[in-house]
Amino acid sequence: MPSAPLNGIDVVFDDSGGDGEPVVLVNGTGATRTTWRAHQTPALVAAGYRVIAPDNRGIPPNALPPGGITLEAMAADLAALIEHLALPPCRVVGFSLGASVVGELCLTRPELVAQAVLMAGRARVDTFGDAVSRAAADLHDSGAAVPASHDAVFRALCYLSPHTLRDPRAAQDWLDVFTYSEAATGPGVRAQYDAMRDVDQLPRYATLDVPLLCIGFADDVMIPPAAGREIADTAPGARYTEFERCGHYGHLERPAEVNAAMLEFFARRTAAAHATAGRGGSPRTAGRGGA
């Protein structure tokens, strides 16, 4: 398990290694880097990419990091890791809160990013999304113990599509995962619930100069697909695609389709870079304009 001392914390990350072009994967609230190992990392590695997946600050051992837990701080950690590993410009993928972190990186350090994918992303919190974060924070603050069975059902309702829950085998598999897998907890995760409070990145996305793909999931009740479409409609040259029959965990419910869309988007830059290089141009510039 590699790590690097950056910005006063010990940034822990997975690294598939190899000589492929790098892709950095950034997860959401309370989620660790290990979630990517099930579907996205194998698909990217099989396609020839090197995959780096860090834990955000707030995940132990960085539960109480200096500088607090904000989008700006998490994006700065991401930038520091990319520079530490000599990756730029590289492709960066974010999911949920991680999509907001990646968006912040694109806005503040665009020279580090060749392409960005925002899965279940949002520029600002809606009423229900804010209520979910407040409820999770209140539960943590209360110190109440929630039975594993109750937590599993709540997570299934929040994160999965009704289509998945109507499939007896799939529903049971997910309930087992939620029941027996230990989610990250503690003060750092509690602070992540507040990271999007009073944040509105949307006006800044109008100035974005990074090729961007936004992915929405049709049955997502946590971050409705309209939130991702809003970003795509605002950011110059951005693309948007939406997947049916999946919820907030769409990249885990329909991984083959989501991975295919991501790889197709990445292939556009590779093709453009080769064409530009053949004309004696700059591969970095070839990715502009949503390629």
Side-chain angles (χ1 to χ4, degrees):
M1 182 178 68
S3 63
L6 303 167
N7 295 342
I9 66 175
D10 190 26
V11 177
V12 179
F13 58 96
D14 284 347
D15 187 348
S16 69
D19 298 326
E21 296 183 15
V23 180
V24 182
L25 307 177
V26 186
N27 225 324
T29 305
T32 71
R33 68 196 186 282
T34 60
T35 308
W36 299 108
R37 296 176 185 173
H39 298 292
Q40 279 66 53
T41 295
L44 288 164
V45 170
Y49 293 99
R50 173 188 174 188
V51 180
I52 299 94
D55 280 340
N56 289 320
R57 58 172 53 209
I59 300 297
N62 300 305
L64 293 170
I69 297 173
T70 64
L71 292 185
E72 293 82 3
M74 287 187 278
D77 295 340
L78 188 55
L81 180 64
I82 289 171
E83 293 182 313
H84 173 75
L85 296 176
L87 305 178
C90 62
R91 297 171 170 93
V92 190
V93 179
F95 165 70
S96 195
L97 175 63
S100 297
V101 174
V102 171
E104 186 66 24
L105 176 73
C106 292
L107 291 163
T108 56
R109 299 293 306 277
E111 74 280 5
L112 301 182
V113 185
Q115 289 176 298
V117 178
L118 307 186
M119 296 183 186
R122 60 186 174 189
R124 49 190 176 180
V125 179
D126 64 3
T127 299
F128 184 70
D130 185 59
V132 170
S133 294
R134 289 181 185 275
D138 289 345
L139 178 61
H140 178 278
D141 295 345
S142 74
V146 177
S149 59
H150 184 281
D151 182 58
V153 170
F154 177 80
R155 291 164 70 185
L157 289 170
C158 286
Y159 299 147
L160 302 176
S161 166
H163 298 281
T164 300
L165 299 179
R166 290 190 199 112
D167 179 329
R169 182 173 178 178
Q172 189 59 61
D173 287 346
W174 275 104
L175 288 170
D176 289 344
V177 168
F178 290 144
T179 300
Y180 298 110
S181 63
E182 254 186 68
T185 59
V189 174
R190 164 63 177 84
Q192 286 185 359
Y193 297 141
D194 291 336
M196 282 293 291
R197 289 274 172 84
D198 302 319
V199 171
D200 185 355
Q201 295 173 300
L202 193 62
R204 298 166 64 211
Y205 275 119
T207 68
L208 193 70
D209 190 26
V210 170
L212 181 65
L213 171 64
C214 296
I215 295 177
F217 304 125
D219 298 331
D220 191 345
V221 298
M222 299 289 286
I223 301 180
R229 184 181 291 277
E230 181 180 58
I231 294 174
D233 288 343
T234 302
R239 301 172 62 200
Y240 176 79
T241 189
E242 185 172 313
F243 292 93
E244 301 293 327
R245 302 175 69 88
C246 54
H248 193 59
Y249 280 1
H251 61 308
L252 305 180
E253 290 180 275
R254 295 187 60 184
E257 295 93 329
V258 173
N259 292 345
M262 181 169 59
L263 289 169
E264 187 274 334
F265 177 63
F266 290 167
R268 286 172 171 257
R269 178 178 184 267
T270 301
H274 289 162
T276 303
R279 297 192 300 268
S282 165
R284 179 68 183 93
T285 306
R288 300 293 184 180

